[in-house]
Amino acid sequence: MRQGQIKKGRKSTVSTTVFSTPGRFVRQLLSLTLTALCCITLASCASHEKNSSYYSNSEIDRLQLTPAGLATPSDQTPSDQTPSDQTPSDQTPSDQTPSDQVEIDLSPRNLLRQRLRGLDFETGLLINTIPVNSPVLTELYAQNDFHPLWTNSRSIHQLFGVLEEIADDGLDAADYHYSKLMKLNNLLESVAAPPEDLIVDFDLLLSDSLTLLCHHLLTGKINSFELDDYSPATTKTSSATLSPAIIASAITQGSITELVADSRPRTATYARLRSALNRYRRIAAKGGWKEIPVGKVLKNGLRDKRVAALRERLSATADIVTKDLESIFFDAAVEAGVKRFQHRHTLPVDGVVGPVTLAALNQSVEEKIHRIHSNLERARWMARLPEKFVFVDIAGFQVQFFNNGASLFTARVQVGKSDRETPVFRSAITDLELNPTWTVPKTIFQQDILPEVKADPDYLQKKGLRIMSWRGKTIDAANIDWSMYPQHEFPYALRQAPGPKNAMGRIKFMFPNPYAIYLHDTPNRSLFNAKERAFSSGCVRIEQPLELAQLLLDDEKWDLNALKQMIQTQEKMRIHLKNPITVVLAYATVSVTENGDVIFRKDVYQQEKKILNRLSS
């Protein structure tokens, strides 16, 4: 007979045993099974402990007594070792051979492998009750042969410092385990010889915190496509990543601060938004501003006790610079301050405080801060752009072309209506089409054209629209029973020939995307004079498309005159760009000018709340 044996130290051994009686076989088998399970549990499942204070002082004391977490012979009760259960043959040392022993490796290296196995099998991983999800953790630790990474105390202090200031980016330190990491750090510093599984858990949480933070700074916390119905790889807003080797090097060399700074977008837009956020957070720390009571319209020349509240409100955001904050007289200085405020909030600039301006003035500082948060997230989606790119500012109703950081072209645009939003994405312009035809999309046919056709039988002819079979045959509108639609599927296509009435205008900019979205000219030129230009069915109409085309082509053969001459032929022609040019369609409701003015735009598509909800989840 052979008796189970436990050795103290990093490697515990459990030898096999041969039993002579069924009763004792069951008891000893249960004992060995429970012992082995205890070893494995401490090695790989400590993080699933339901008690939130898993690493209490008493628990650490217990783990220090038996590092492997196994019962020692002194822990066995008399009932476990009755005389009838033991015979001389039970205690024969010579029967015990090394080949009979099963080694359980509880080194930090093996504990790390066991913890990460949960990620390998996509079953998730809990570390001290915290879910760990960074997909690069396994590869990250492979860079260090699965030994703990955070042996440089400077790296730990730098990460804590970064997390303490991450609110400057509109992010929450709680998303990166800050409180739990602080508790574990204090616990480790209070114990002379902390258990190895505590060290491993701390190391994993530090790594998860850093990799998650860098990922959020690089590409955004939210997947932008979760806000709509598509998530195509061809239109990702940002695909930047950090290699595990770079992250591991930063941890071991103590350059966490530099790594996080490099992960942050390096655009002027992002830097200015961070500065604006800091400014509004300082205002909030001072108590923000009081609401201006509702009342009659305030304008130059009036005396009203609410003017004093108006002066204080304008002073809080530096829209007026005056020491006289108690005066109830609406003078030229107040009027200038109101006009400045109106300009910053894209309101009609008349210097009069009516209901719309009053509502904007009474938005709380917390609302302003939340809006900046959501726009910092949008800026992360659009970071790391190439030298040349076309930028469509959907909420600002304009398009720009940048080359080497300089804006070479700016024009007004018309974008999608509130119920047909222009989507946010990025792609690359590959072709320009002169004198394009237009095939009417299903939505536009059902919602816009069909009601017009039913009201006016000559509508299609007036608009130059032909009814085409899918084989290219022209169908007479008089032979169609329009009352059958839209209840039934319309079996034909409506196509508009090139010309001045074509919905695409005289030129179309083509880039791959799943939304059937283009930049294009338009015959509806008068709509560019409107302040808010959400008129299209999703595409982007450009006020000066030929000027943009000339810049993108960058070819002497295709100057402005050559483009115009080709358009006059009314012949359809496609021009392929030598080098595709990135196009970004962005929705930014807060921006900051070079001189620091914070511009708040109307949230035409009501996206702020959706983004803020996702950021806080």
Side-chain angles (χ1 to χ4, degrees), residues 118-135:
L119 286 177
D120 291 341
F121 290 99
E122 298 183 357
T123 55
L125 179 63
L126 283 176
I127 298 296
N128 201 263
T129 72
I130 294 177
V132 172
N133 298 307
S134 296

Side-chain angles (χ1 to χ4, degrees), residues 389-434:
F389 64 94
V390 175
F391 189 85
V392 178
D393 180 358
I394 299 170
F397 307 108
Q398 74 173 12
V399 61
Q400 290 178 280
F401 174 60
F402 289 90
N403 189 4
N404 290 321
S407 176
L408 304 183
F409 171 83
T410 302
R412 294 181 291 187
V413 298
Q414 300 170 32
V415 299
K417 304 172 186 177
S418 59
D419 60 342
R420 301 181 199 177
E421 299 178 9
T422 298
V424 172
F425 66 98
R426 69 190 291 174
S427 185
I429 299 173
T430 56
D431 298 270
L432 308 182
E433 192 168 281
L434 302 178

Side-chain angles (χ1 to χ4, degrees), residues 284-541:
K286 294 178 181 178
W289 51 73
K290 297 177 181 178
E291 281 195 3
I292 302 169
V294 176
K296 63 183 180 181
V297 171
L298 297 175
K299 58 184 178 180
N300 197 353
L302 285 179
R303 291 185 180 276
D304 190 301
K305 62 181 181 180
R306 294 184 300 134
V307 173
L310 175 60
R311 286 173 177 268
E312 286 192 12
R313 170 64 186 85
L314 294 172
S315 176
T317 48
D319 289 299
I320 185 174
V321 180
T322 179
K323 295 180 180 179
D324 189 4
L325 299 180
E326 297 181 0
S327 172
I328 64 171
F329 181 59
F330 195 123
D331 57 16
V334 176
E335 182 182 48
V338 171
K339 286 183 176 180
R340 173 179 161 78
F341 177 88
Q342 290 171 330
H343 171 73
R344 291 197 308 105
H345 290 75
T346 59
L347 299 171
V349 180
D350 57 10
V352 175
V353 181
V356 175
T357 297
L358 182 63
L361 285 163
N362 282 339
Q363 282 186 342
S364 69
V365 66
E366 288 77 19
E367 288 179 86
K368 301 294 187 186
I369 288 172
H370 290 157
R371 294 194 68 186
I372 298 173
H373 283 176
S374 68
N375 281 271
L376 279 164
E377 175 69 4
R378 290 190 184 100
R380 289 187 282 268
W381 296 345
M382 297 298 174
R384 289 157 186 84
L385 293 167
E387 290 182 356
K388 287 185 179 182
F389 64 94
V390 175
F391 189 85
V392 178
D393 180 358
I394 299 170
F397 307 108
Q398 74 173 12
V399 61
Q400 290 178 280
F401 174 60
F402 289 90
N403 189 4
N404 290 321
S407 176
L408 304 183
F409 171 83
T410 302
R412 294 181 291 187
V413 298
Q414 300 170 32
V415 299
K417 304 172 186 177
S418 59
D419 60 342
R420 301 181 199 177
E421 299 178 9
T422 298
V424 172
F425 66 98
R426 69 190 291 174
S427 185
I429 299 173
T430 56
D431 298 270
L432 308 182
E433 192 168 281
L434 302 178
N435 296 317
T437 58
W438 179 51
T439 301
V440 179
K442 180 179 178 180
T443 300
I444 296 178
F445 168 72
Q446 291 181 344
Q447 297 183 16
D448 300 340
I449 293 180
L450 188 57
E452 296 285 354
V453 172
K454 290 180 178 180
D456 180 5
D458 295 327
Y459 178 82
L460 296 180
Q461 184 178 355
K462 292 175 182 177
K463 293 293 183 180
L465 290 164
R466 291 186 298 161
I467 306 171
M468 308 291 294
S469 71
W470 296 110
R471 294 184 178 180
K473 181 181 177 181
T474 301
I475 306 299
D476 189 346
N479 296 330
I480 295 176
D481 181 1
W482 296 102
S483 65
M484 294 176 59
Y485 311 104
Q487 303 92 305
H488 298 85
E489 188 75 18
F490 190 64
Y492 307 113
L494 292 183
R495 187 165 298 156
Q496 194 175 36
K501 294 181 180 180
N502 188 284
M504 297 285 107
R506 297 306 189 98
I507 186 170
K508 177 170 68 173
F509 300 76
M510 304 180 71
F511 41 92
N513 67 88
Y515 310 99
I517 294 297
Y518 308 101
L519 307 185
H520 63 82
D521 185 19
T522 178
N524 299 316
R525 313 296 299 177
S526 62
L527 297 178
F528 286 113
N529 295 323
K531 188 172 183 65
E532 293 182 7
R533 297 181 289 276
F535 299 121
S536 81
S537 291
C539 284
V540 179
R541 304 168 181 169

Side-chain angles (χ1 to χ4, degrees), residues 72-144:
T72 62
S74 62
D75 294 328
Q76 296 174 353
T77 61
S79 60
D80 293 328
Q81 301 179 13
T82 60
S84 61
D85 288 337
Q86 298 182 16
T87 65
S89 60
D90 289 331
Q91 304 174 27
T92 305
S94 60
D95 288 343
Q96 201 166 335
T97 64
S99 61
D100 293 325
Q101 297 177 347
V102 179
E103 292 188 348
I104 300 175
D105 186 355
L106 297 180
S107 66
R109 183 171 182 266
N110 197 52
L111 286 172
L112 275 167
R113 286 181 178 276
Q114 293 177 13
R115 295 284 202 277
L116 293 169
R117 192 168 293 134
L119 286 177
D120 291 341
F121 290 99
E122 298 183 357
T123 55
L125 179 63
L126 283 176
I127 298 296
N128 201 263
T129 72
I130 294 177
V132 172
N133 298 307
S134 296
V136 299
L137 279 184
T138 300
E139 193 174 348
L140 176 64
Y141 278 94
Q143 299 289 324
N144 202 40

Side-chain angles (χ1 to χ4, degrees), residues 158-290:
Q158 285 182 357
L159 179 60
F160 285 153
V162 165
L163 293 180
E164 286 162 5
E165 296 179 356
I166 202 60
D168 292 343
D169 291 87
L171 297 172
D172 187 352
D175 290 334
Y176 311 104
H177 324 316
Y178 177 70
S179 296
K180 180 64 72 173
L181 284 171
M182 289 296 293
K183 290 179 181 178
L184 290 178
N185 186 59
N186 293 336
L187 186 57
L188 280 165
E189 291 179 347
S190 68
V191 179
E196 289 170 339
D197 57 344
L198 174 58
I199 295 172
V200 167
D201 283 1
F202 186 55
D203 207 90
L204 279 167
L205 281 180
L206 287 167
S207 297
D208 188 65
S209 172
L210 177 62
T211 55
L212 193 61
L213 174 60
C214 289
H215 175 69
H216 287 172
L217 288 173
L218 278 166
T219 65
K221 179 182 176 182
I222 304 169
N223 178 351
S224 61
F225 297 106
E226 292 177 0
L227 300 177
D228 58 38
D229 298 328
Y230 298 95
S231 55
T234 56
T235 57
K236 283 183 178 178
T237 48
S238 180
S239 57
T241 58
L242 278 178
S243 72
I246 291 176
I247 299 173
S249 176
I251 296 171
T252 56
Q253 294 181 14
S255 55
I256 300 302
T257 304
E258 293 80 0
L259 178 71
V260 172
D262 288 342
S263 301
R264 187 176 286 120
R266 302 174 188 176
T267 62
T269 295
Y270 194 80
R272 291 171 187 168
L273 283 170
R274 287 184 85 234
S275 177
L277 176 61
N278 183 269
R279 194 186 317 166
Y280 276 84
R281 288 176 64 204
R282 289 200 304 269
I283 294 173
K286 294 178 181 178
W289 51 73
K290 297 177 181 178

